[in-house]
mmCIF file with all atom_site columns, all heavy atoms in Angstrom:
data_model
loop_
_atom_site.group_PDB
_atom_site.id
_atom_site.type_symbol
_atom_site.label_atom_id
_atom_site.label_alt_id
_atom_site.label_comp_id
_atom_site.label_asym_id
_atom_site.label_entity_id
_atom_site.label_seq_id
_atom_site.pdbx_PDB_ins_code
_atom_site.Cartn_x
_atom_site.Cartn_y
_atom_site.Cartn_z
_atom_site.occupancy
_atom_site.B_iso_or_equiv
_atom_site.pdbx_formal_charge
_atom_site.auth_seq_id
_atom_site.auth_comp_id
_atom_site.auth_asym_id
_atom_site.auth_atom_id
_atom_site.pdbx_PDB_model_num
ATOM 1   N N   . GLU A 1 17  ? -6.012  3.089   10.774  1.00 0.00 ? 17  GLU A N   1
ATOM 2   C CA  . GLU A 1 17  ? -6.436  3.152   12.203  1.00 0.00 ? 17  GLU A CA  1
ATOM 3   C C   . GLU A 1 17  ? -7.790  3.880   12.303  1.00 0.00 ? 17  GLU A C   1
ATOM 4   O O   . GLU A 1 17  ? -8.654  3.538   13.128  1.00 0.00 ? 17  GLU A O   1
ATOM 5   C CB  . GLU A 1 17  ? -5.393  3.856   13.061  1.00 0.00 ? 17  GLU A CB  1
ATOM 6   C CG  . GLU A 1 17  ? -4.121  3.049   13.188  1.00 0.00 ? 17  GLU A CG  1
ATOM 7   C CD  . GLU A 1 17  ? -2.976  3.846   13.789  1.00 0.00 ? 17  GLU A CD  1
ATOM 8   O OE1 . GLU A 1 17  ? -3.162  5.043   14.061  1.00 0.00 ? 17  GLU A OE1 1
ATOM 9   O OE2 . GLU A 1 17  ? -1.862  3.291   13.891  1.00 0.00 ? 17  GLU A OE2 1
ATOM 10  N N   . ALA A 1 21  ? -12.430 -1.277  12.553  1.00 0.00 ? 21  ALA A N   1
ATOM 11  C CA  . ALA A 1 21  ? -12.790 -2.605  12.065  1.00 0.00 ? 21  ALA A CA  1
ATOM 12  C C   . ALA A 1 21  ? -13.860 -2.589  11.016  1.00 0.00 ? 21  ALA A C   1
ATOM 13  O O   . ALA A 1 21  ? -14.229 -3.588  10.425  1.00 0.00 ? 21  ALA A O   1
ATOM 14  C CB  . ALA A 1 21  ? -13.268 -3.455  13.245  1.00 0.00 ? 21  ALA A CB  1
ATOM 15  N N   . PRO A 1 32  ? -3.271  10.465  -13.380 1.00 0.00 ? 32  PRO A N   1
ATOM 16  C CA  . PRO A 1 32  ? -2.085  11.198  -13.814 1.00 0.00 ? 32  PRO A CA  1
ATOM 17  C C   . PRO A 1 32  ? -2.269  11.939  -15.100 1.00 0.00 ? 32  PRO A C   1
ATOM 18  O O   . PRO A 1 32  ? -2.848  11.365  -16.021 1.00 0.00 ? 32  PRO A O   1
ATOM 19  C CB  . PRO A 1 32  ? -1.022  10.073  -13.922 1.00 0.00 ? 32  PRO A CB  1
ATOM 20  C CG  . PRO A 1 32  ? -1.805  8.868   -14.265 1.00 0.00 ? 32  PRO A CG  1
ATOM 21  C CD  . PRO A 1 32  ? -3.175  9.002   -13.538 1.00 0.00 ? 32  PRO A CD  1
ATOM 22  N N   . GLY A 1 72  ? -13.140 1.275   1.317   1.00 0.00 ? 72  GLY A N   1
ATOM 23  C CA  . GLY A 1 72  ? -13.884 0.453   0.365   1.00 0.00 ? 72  GLY A CA  1
ATOM 24  C C   . GLY A 1 72  ? -14.180 -0.934  0.932   1.00 0.00 ? 72  GLY A C   1
ATOM 25  O O   . GLY A 1 72  ? -14.045 -1.134  2.150   1.00 0.00 ? 72  GLY A O   1
ATOM 26  N N   . ARG A 1 78  ? -14.513 -0.417  -7.628  1.00 0.00 ? 78  ARG A N   1
ATOM 27  C CA  . ARG A 1 78  ? -15.172 0.861   -7.984  1.00 0.00 ? 78  ARG A CA  1
ATOM 28  C C   . ARG A 1 78  ? -14.385 1.581   -9.060  1.00 0.00 ? 78  ARG A C   1
ATOM 29  O O   . ARG A 1 78  ? -13.131 1.533   -9.040  1.00 0.00 ? 78  ARG A O   1
ATOM 30  C CB  . ARG A 1 78  ? -15.386 1.732   -6.770  1.00 0.00 ? 78  ARG A CB  1
ATOM 31  C CG  . ARG A 1 78  ? -16.387 1.213   -5.799  1.00 0.00 ? 78  ARG A CG  1
ATOM 32  C CD  . ARG A 1 78  ? -16.826 2.247   -4.762  1.00 0.00 ? 78  ARG A CD  1
ATOM 33  N NE  . ARG A 1 78  ? -15.790 2.440   -3.754  1.00 0.00 ? 78  ARG A NE  1
ATOM 34  C CZ  . ARG A 1 78  ? -15.951 3.166   -2.637  1.00 0.00 ? 78  ARG A CZ  1
ATOM 35  N NH1 . ARG A 1 78  ? -17.181 3.768   -2.463  1.00 0.00 ? 78  ARG A NH1 1
ATOM 36  N NH2 . ARG A 1 78  ? -15.019 3.294   -1.767  1.00 0.00 ? 78  ARG A NH2 1
ATOM 37  N N   . CYS A 1 123 ? -5.542  20.260  -11.166 1.00 0.00 ? 123 CYS A N   1
ATOM 38  C CA  . CYS A 1 123 ? -5.111  18.881  -11.502 1.00 0.00 ? 123 CYS A CA  1
ATOM 39  C C   . CYS A 1 123 ? -3.588  18.844  -11.450 1.00 0.00 ? 123 CYS A C   1
ATOM 40  O O   . CYS A 1 123 ? -2.962  18.423  -12.443 1.00 0.00 ? 123 CYS A O   1
ATOM 41  C CB  . CYS A 1 123 ? -5.648  18.468  -12.847 1.00 0.00 ? 123 CYS A CB  1
ATOM 42  S SG  . CYS A 1 123 ? -5.332  16.726  -13.259 1.00 0.00 ? 123 CYS A SG  1
ATOM 43  N N   . ALA A 1 163 ? 12.063  -2.750  -3.506  1.00 0.00 ? 163 ALA A N   1
ATOM 44  C CA  . ALA A 1 163 ? 12.578  -4.162  -3.453  1.00 0.00 ? 163 ALA A CA  1
ATOM 45  C C   . ALA A 1 163 ? 11.561  -5.069  -2.836  1.00 0.00 ? 163 ALA A C   1
ATOM 46  O O   . ALA A 1 163 ? 10.870  -4.731  -1.865  1.00 0.00 ? 163 ALA A O   1
ATOM 47  C CB  . ALA A 1 163 ? 13.847  -4.206  -2.701  1.00 0.00 ? 163 ALA A CB  1
ATOM 48  N N   . ASP A 1 220 ? 9.374   -10.499 -37.642 1.00 0.00 ? 220 ASP A N   1
ATOM 49  C CA  . ASP A 1 220 ? 8.972   -9.081  -37.666 1.00 0.00 ? 220 ASP A CA  1
ATOM 50  C C   . ASP A 1 220 ? 7.477   -8.868  -37.536 1.00 0.00 ? 220 ASP A C   1
ATOM 51  O O   . ASP A 1 220 ? 7.018   -7.945  -36.912 1.00 0.00 ? 220 ASP A O   1
ATOM 52  C CB  . ASP A 1 220 ? 9.460   -8.440  -38.991 1.00 0.00 ? 220 ASP A CB  1
ATOM 53  C CG  . ASP A 1 220 ? 10.938  -8.190  -38.985 1.00 0.00 ? 220 ASP A CG  1
ATOM 54  O OD1 . ASP A 1 220 ? 11.622  -8.819  -38.151 1.00 0.00 ? 220 ASP A OD1 1
ATOM 55  O OD2 . ASP A 1 220 ? 11.463  -7.432  -39.813 1.00 0.00 ? 220 ASP A OD2 1
ATOM 56  N N   . LEU A 1 226 ? 2.958   -7.346  -31.390 1.00 0.00 ? 226 LEU A N   1
ATOM 57  C CA  . LEU A 1 226 ? 3.173   -7.140  -29.972 1.00 0.00 ? 226 LEU A CA  1
ATOM 58  C C   . LEU A 1 226 ? 3.370   -5.631  -29.639 1.00 0.00 ? 226 LEU A C   1
ATOM 59  O O   . LEU A 1 226 ? 2.830   -5.105  -28.676 1.00 0.00 ? 226 LEU A O   1
ATOM 60  C CB  . LEU A 1 226 ? 4.395   -7.899  -29.474 1.00 0.00 ? 226 LEU A CB  1
ATOM 61  C CG  . LEU A 1 226 ? 4.214   -9.434  -29.418 1.00 0.00 ? 226 LEU A CG  1
ATOM 62  C CD1 . LEU A 1 226 ? 5.506   -10.132 -29.257 1.00 0.00 ? 226 LEU A CD1 1
ATOM 63  C CD2 . LEU A 1 226 ? 3.274   -9.827  -28.279 1.00 0.00 ? 226 LEU A CD2 1
ATOM 64  N N   . ALA A 1 230 ? 0.940   -3.313  -27.218 1.00 0.00 ? 230 ALA A N   1
ATOM 65  C CA  . ALA A 1 230 ? 1.425   -2.547  -26.081 1.00 0.00 ? 230 ALA A CA  1
ATOM 66  C C   . ALA A 1 230 ? 1.187   -1.034  -26.303 1.00 0.00 ? 230 ALA A C   1
ATOM 67  O O   . ALA A 1 230 ? 0.872   -0.363  -25.349 1.00 0.00 ? 230 ALA A O   1
ATOM 68  C CB  . ALA A 1 230 ? 2.900   -2.838  -25.896 1.00 0.00 ? 230 ALA A CB  1
ATOM 69  N N   . CYS A 1 231 ? 1.355   -0.587  -27.501 1.00 0.00 ? 231 CYS A N   1
ATOM 70  C CA  . CYS A 1 231 ? 1.141   0.864   -27.814 1.00 0.00 ? 231 CYS A CA  1
ATOM 71  C C   . CYS A 1 231 ? -0.296  1.204   -27.538 1.00 0.00 ? 231 CYS A C   1
ATOM 72  O O   . CYS A 1 231 ? -0.614  2.256   -26.909 1.00 0.00 ? 231 CYS A O   1
ATOM 73  C CB  . CYS A 1 231 ? 1.527   1.100   -29.254 1.00 0.00 ? 231 CYS A CB  1
ATOM 74  S SG  . CYS A 1 231 ? 1.190   2.822   -29.811 1.00 0.00 ? 231 CYS A SG  1
ATOM 75  N N   . LYS A 1 244 ? 9.294   2.975   -35.725 1.00 0.00 ? 244 LYS A N   1
ATOM 76  C CA  . LYS A 1 244 ? 10.625  2.774   -36.322 1.00 0.00 ? 244 LYS A CA  1
ATOM 77  C C   . LYS A 1 244 ? 10.648  1.553   -37.183 1.00 0.00 ? 244 LYS A C   1
ATOM 78  O O   . LYS A 1 244 ? 11.282  1.559   -38.283 1.00 0.00 ? 244 LYS A O   1
ATOM 79  C CB  . LYS A 1 244 ? 11.689  2.619   -35.163 1.00 0.00 ? 244 LYS A CB  1
ATOM 80  C CG  . LYS A 1 244 ? 13.104  2.549   -35.644 1.00 0.00 ? 244 LYS A CG  1
ATOM 81  C CD  . LYS A 1 244 ? 14.073  2.543   -34.508 1.00 0.00 ? 244 LYS A CD  1
ATOM 82  C CE  . LYS A 1 244 ? 15.511  2.527   -34.964 1.00 0.00 ? 244 LYS A CE  1
ATOM 83  N NZ  . LYS A 1 244 ? 15.914  3.781   -35.636 1.00 0.00 ? 244 LYS A NZ  1
ATOM 84  N N   . ALA A 1 259 ? 0.932   7.127   -48.934 1.00 0.00 ? 259 ALA A N   1
ATOM 85  C CA  . ALA A 1 259 ? 0.462   8.070   -47.884 1.00 0.00 ? 259 ALA A CA  1
ATOM 86  C C   . ALA A 1 259 ? 0.054   7.244   -46.641 1.00 0.00 ? 259 ALA A C   1
ATOM 87  O O   . ALA A 1 259 ? 0.252   7.692   -45.504 1.00 0.00 ? 259 ALA A O   1
ATOM 88  C CB  . ALA A 1 259 ? -0.704  8.907   -48.386 1.00 0.00 ? 259 ALA A CB  1
ATOM 89  N N   . ALA A 1 263 ? 1.610   7.745   -43.006 1.00 0.00 ? 263 ALA A N   1
ATOM 90  C CA  . ALA A 1 263 ? 0.718   8.190   -41.894 1.00 0.00 ? 263 ALA A CA  1
ATOM 91  C C   . ALA A 1 263 ? 0.870   7.275   -40.706 1.00 0.00 ? 263 ALA A C   1
ATOM 92  O O   . ALA A 1 263 ? 0.755   7.735   -39.538 1.00 0.00 ? 263 ALA A O   1
ATOM 93  C CB  . ALA A 1 263 ? -0.692  8.134   -42.428 1.00 0.00 ? 263 ALA A CB  1
ATOM 94  N N   . ARG A 1 303 ? 7.130   20.615  -36.623 1.00 0.00 ? 303 ARG A N   1
ATOM 95  C CA  . ARG A 1 303 ? 6.754   19.439  -35.832 1.00 0.00 ? 303 ARG A CA  1
ATOM 96  C C   . ARG A 1 303 ? 7.982   18.911  -35.104 1.00 0.00 ? 303 ARG A C   1
ATOM 97  O O   . ARG A 1 303 ? 7.858   18.478  -33.933 1.00 0.00 ? 303 ARG A O   1
ATOM 98  C CB  . ARG A 1 303 ? 6.227   18.374  -36.775 1.00 0.00 ? 303 ARG A CB  1
ATOM 99  C CG  . ARG A 1 303 ? 5.709   17.089  -36.041 1.00 0.00 ? 303 ARG A CG  1
ATOM 100 C CD  . ARG A 1 303 ? 4.646   17.438  -35.037 1.00 0.00 ? 303 ARG A CD  1
ATOM 101 N NE  . ARG A 1 303 ? 4.285   16.304  -34.212 1.00 0.00 ? 303 ARG A NE  1
ATOM 102 C CZ  . ARG A 1 303 ? 3.802   16.390  -32.993 1.00 0.00 ? 303 ARG A CZ  1
ATOM 103 N NH1 . ARG A 1 303 ? 3.624   17.563  -32.428 1.00 0.00 ? 303 ARG A NH1 1
ATOM 104 N NH2 . ARG A 1 303 ? 3.470   15.274  -32.348 1.00 0.00 ? 303 ARG A NH2 1
ATOM 105 N N   . SER A 1 319 ? 17.382  16.024  -25.871 1.00 0.00 ? 319 SER A N   1
ATOM 106 C CA  . SER A 1 319 ? 16.314  16.713  -26.608 1.00 0.00 ? 319 SER A CA  1
ATOM 107 C C   . SER A 1 319 ? 16.500  18.218  -26.397 1.00 0.00 ? 319 SER A C   1
ATOM 108 O O   . SER A 1 319 ? 16.284  19.045  -27.303 1.00 0.00 ? 319 SER A O   1
ATOM 109 C CB  . SER A 1 319 ? 14.947  16.253  -26.107 1.00 0.00 ? 319 SER A CB  1
ATOM 110 O OG  . SER A 1 319 ? 13.925  16.646  -26.932 1.00 0.00 ? 319 SER A OG  1
ATOM 111 N N   . ASP A 1 355 ? 27.069  21.696  -24.480 1.00 0.00 ? 355 ASP A N   1
ATOM 112 C CA  . ASP A 1 355 ? 26.021  22.716  -24.400 1.00 0.00 ? 355 ASP A CA  1
ATOM 113 C C   . ASP A 1 355 ? 26.363  23.685  -23.229 1.00 0.00 ? 355 ASP A C   1
ATOM 114 O O   . ASP A 1 355 ? 25.951  24.824  -23.246 1.00 0.00 ? 355 ASP A O   1
ATOM 115 C CB  . ASP A 1 355 ? 24.657  22.112  -24.197 1.00 0.00 ? 355 ASP A CB  1
ATOM 116 C CG  . ASP A 1 355 ? 24.157  21.327  -25.391 1.00 0.00 ? 355 ASP A CG  1
ATOM 117 O OD1 . ASP A 1 355 ? 24.321  21.914  -26.505 1.00 0.00 ? 355 ASP A OD1 1
ATOM 118 O OD2 . ASP A 1 355 ? 23.762  20.151  -25.266 1.00 0.00 ? 355 ASP A OD2 1
ATOM 119 N N   . GLY A 1 368 ? 22.764  37.984  -28.165 1.00 0.00 ? 368 GLY A N   1
ATOM 120 C CA  . GLY A 1 368 ? 21.438  37.427  -28.273 1.00 0.00 ? 368 GLY A CA  1
ATOM 121 C C   . GLY A 1 368 ? 20.753  37.234  -26.912 1.00 0.00 ? 368 GLY A C   1
ATOM 122 O O   . GLY A 1 368 ? 19.556  36.934  -26.821 1.00 0.00 ? 368 GLY A O   1
ATOM 123 N N   . GLU A 1 401 ? 40.714  37.398  -17.039 1.00 0.00 ? 401 GLU A N   1
ATOM 124 C CA  . GLU A 1 401 ? 40.497  38.693  -17.597 1.00 0.00 ? 401 GLU A CA  1
ATOM 125 C C   . GLU A 1 401 ? 39.584  39.553  -16.753 1.00 0.00 ? 401 GLU A C   1
ATOM 126 O O   . GLU A 1 401 ? 39.400  40.772  -17.046 1.00 0.00 ? 401 GLU A O   1
ATOM 127 C CB  . GLU A 1 401 ? 39.889  38.515  -18.996 1.00 0.00 ? 401 GLU A CB  1
ATOM 128 C CG  . GLU A 1 401 ? 40.798  37.769  -20.009 1.00 0.00 ? 401 GLU A CG  1
ATOM 129 C CD  . GLU A 1 401 ? 40.067  37.349  -21.254 1.00 0.00 ? 401 GLU A CD  1
ATOM 130 O OE1 . GLU A 1 401 ? 38.941  37.834  -21.461 1.00 0.00 ? 401 GLU A OE1 1
ATOM 131 O OE2 . GLU A 1 401 ? 40.631  36.503  -21.967 1.00 0.00 ? 401 GLU A OE2 1
ATOM 132 N N   . PHE A 1 415 ? 41.454  26.528  -12.826 1.00 0.00 ? 415 PHE A N   1
ATOM 133 C CA  . PHE A 1 415 ? 40.710  26.052  -13.980 1.00 0.00 ? 415 PHE A CA  1
ATOM 134 C C   . PHE A 1 415 ? 41.607  25.613  -15.109 1.00 0.00 ? 415 PHE A C   1
ATOM 135 O O   . PHE A 1 415 ? 41.418  24.588  -15.749 1.00 0.00 ? 415 PHE A O   1
ATOM 136 C CB  . PHE A 1 415 ? 39.680  27.111  -14.460 1.00 0.00 ? 415 PHE A CB  1
ATOM 137 C CG  . PHE A 1 415 ? 38.351  27.028  -13.718 1.00 0.00 ? 415 PHE A CG  1
ATOM 138 C CD1 . PHE A 1 415 ? 37.971  28.114  -12.901 1.00 0.00 ? 415 PHE A CD1 1
ATOM 139 C CD2 . PHE A 1 415 ? 37.526  26.015  -13.884 1.00 0.00 ? 415 PHE A CD2 1
ATOM 140 C CE1 . PHE A 1 415 ? 36.794  28.077  -12.253 1.00 0.00 ? 415 PHE A CE1 1
ATOM 141 C CE2 . PHE A 1 415 ? 36.292  25.965  -13.223 1.00 0.00 ? 415 PHE A CE2 1
ATOM 142 C CZ  . PHE A 1 415 ? 35.921  27.027  -12.389 1.00 0.00 ? 415 PHE A CZ  1
ATOM 143 N N   . ALA A 1 448 ? 60.912  26.668  -18.045 1.00 0.00 ? 448 ALA A N   1
ATOM 144 C CA  . ALA A 1 448 ? 61.061  25.294  -18.341 1.00 0.00 ? 448 ALA A CA  1
ATOM 145 C C   . ALA A 1 448 ? 59.686  24.600  -18.281 1.00 0.00 ? 448 ALA A C   1
ATOM 146 O O   . ALA A 1 448 ? 59.336  23.788  -19.116 1.00 0.00 ? 448 ALA A O   1
ATOM 147 C CB  . ALA A 1 448 ? 62.012  24.642  -17.346 1.00 0.00 ? 448 ALA A CB  1
ATOM 148 N N   . ARG A 1 449 ? 58.891  24.963  -17.233 1.00 0.00 ? 449 ARG A N   1
ATOM 149 C CA  . ARG A 1 449 ? 57.512  24.453  -17.125 1.00 0.00 ? 449 ARG A CA  1
ATOM 150 C C   . ARG A 1 449 ? 56.665  24.889  -18.293 1.00 0.00 ? 449 ARG A C   1
ATOM 151 O O   . ARG A 1 449 ? 55.867  24.128  -18.834 1.00 0.00 ? 449 ARG A O   1
ATOM 152 C CB  . ARG A 1 449 ? 56.931  24.939  -15.784 1.00 0.00 ? 449 ARG A CB  1
ATOM 153 C CG  . ARG A 1 449 ? 55.500  24.484  -15.546 1.00 0.00 ? 449 ARG A CG  1
ATOM 154 C CD  . ARG A 1 449 ? 55.325  22.997  -15.500 1.00 0.00 ? 449 ARG A CD  1
ATOM 155 N NE  . ARG A 1 449 ? 53.981  22.638  -15.135 1.00 0.00 ? 449 ARG A NE  1
ATOM 156 C CZ  . ARG A 1 449 ? 53.431  21.554  -15.541 1.00 0.00 ? 449 ARG A CZ  1
ATOM 157 N NH1 . ARG A 1 449 ? 54.049  20.638  -16.276 1.00 0.00 ? 449 ARG A NH1 1
ATOM 158 N NH2 . ARG A 1 449 ? 52.184  21.217  -15.157 1.00 0.00 ? 449 ARG A NH2 1
ATOM 159 N N   . TYR A 1 454 ? 53.887  23.691  -23.426 1.00 0.00 ? 454 TYR A N   1
ATOM 160 C CA  . TYR A 1 454 ? 53.723  23.991  -24.866 1.00 0.00 ? 454 TYR A CA  1
ATOM 161 C C   . TYR A 1 454 ? 53.984  22.766  -25.702 1.00 0.00 ? 454 TYR A C   1
ATOM 162 O O   . TYR A 1 454 ? 53.253  22.480  -26.643 1.00 0.00 ? 454 TYR A O   1
ATOM 163 C CB  . TYR A 1 454 ? 54.669  25.133  -25.302 1.00 0.00 ? 454 TYR A CB  1
ATOM 164 C CG  . TYR A 1 454 ? 54.267  26.549  -24.914 1.00 0.00 ? 454 TYR A CG  1
ATOM 165 C CD1 . TYR A 1 454 ? 55.172  27.391  -24.273 1.00 0.00 ? 454 TYR A CD1 1
ATOM 166 C CD2 . TYR A 1 454 ? 52.960  26.990  -25.170 1.00 0.00 ? 454 TYR A CD2 1
ATOM 167 C CE1 . TYR A 1 454 ? 54.778  28.713  -23.946 1.00 0.00 ? 454 TYR A CE1 1
ATOM 168 C CE2 . TYR A 1 454 ? 52.609  28.272  -24.822 1.00 0.00 ? 454 TYR A CE2 1
ATOM 169 C CZ  . TYR A 1 454 ? 53.517  29.120  -24.203 1.00 0.00 ? 454 TYR A CZ  1
ATOM 170 O OH  . TYR A 1 454 ? 53.107  30.407  -23.921 1.00 0.00 ? 454 TYR A OH  1
ATOM 171 N N   . ALA A 1 466 ? 57.507  26.444  -27.912 1.00 0.00 ? 466 ALA A N   1
ATOM 172 C CA  . ALA A 1 466 ? 58.554  25.818  -27.138 1.00 0.00 ? 466 ALA A CA  1
ATOM 173 C C   . ALA A 1 466 ? 59.911  25.862  -27.881 1.00 0.00 ? 466 ALA A C   1
ATOM 174 O O   . ALA A 1 466 ? 60.977  26.085  -27.272 1.00 0.00 ? 466 ALA A O   1
ATOM 175 C CB  . ALA A 1 466 ? 58.157  24.372  -26.888 1.00 0.00 ? 466 ALA A CB  1
ATOM 176 N N   . ALA A 1 478 ? 70.096  27.289  -23.515 1.00 0.00 ? 478 ALA A N   1
ATOM 177 C CA  . ALA A 1 478 ? 69.785  27.124  -24.927 1.00 0.00 ? 478 ALA A CA  1
ATOM 178 C C   . ALA A 1 478 ? 70.022  25.684  -25.372 1.00 0.00 ? 478 ALA A C   1
ATOM 179 O O   . ALA A 1 478 ? 70.974  25.025  -24.959 1.00 0.00 ? 478 ALA A O   1
ATOM 180 C CB  . ALA A 1 478 ? 70.647  28.027  -25.744 1.00 0.00 ? 478 ALA A CB  1
ATOM 181 N N   . LYS A 1 543 ? 57.612  26.548  -61.087 1.00 0.00 ? 543 LYS A N   1
ATOM 182 C CA  . LYS A 1 543 ? 56.716  26.838  -62.183 1.00 0.00 ? 543 LYS A CA  1
ATOM 183 C C   . LYS A 1 543 ? 56.350  28.315  -62.161 1.00 0.00 ? 543 LYS A C   1
ATOM 184 O O   . LYS A 1 543 ? 56.192  28.875  -61.113 1.00 0.00 ? 543 LYS A O   1
ATOM 185 C CB  . LYS A 1 543 ? 55.378  26.025  -62.009 1.00 0.00 ? 543 LYS A CB  1
ATOM 186 C CG  . LYS A 1 543 ? 55.611  24.480  -62.222 1.00 0.00 ? 543 LYS A CG  1
ATOM 187 C CD  . LYS A 1 543 ? 54.296  23.787  -62.116 1.00 0.00 ? 543 LYS A CD  1
ATOM 188 C CE  . LYS A 1 543 ? 54.498  22.287  -62.327 1.00 0.00 ? 543 LYS A CE  1
ATOM 189 N NZ  . LYS A 1 543 ? 53.214  21.563  -62.264 1.00 0.00 ? 543 LYS A NZ  1
#
Side-chain angles (χ1 to χ4, degrees):
E17 291 168 1
R78 289 194 286 189
C123 186
D220 286 17
L226 291 166
C231 176
K244 187 174 181 68
R303 183 57 186 153
S319 195
D355 294 312
E401 300 167 11
F415 273 112
R449 176 64 175 150
Y454 282 133
K543 293 184 180 179

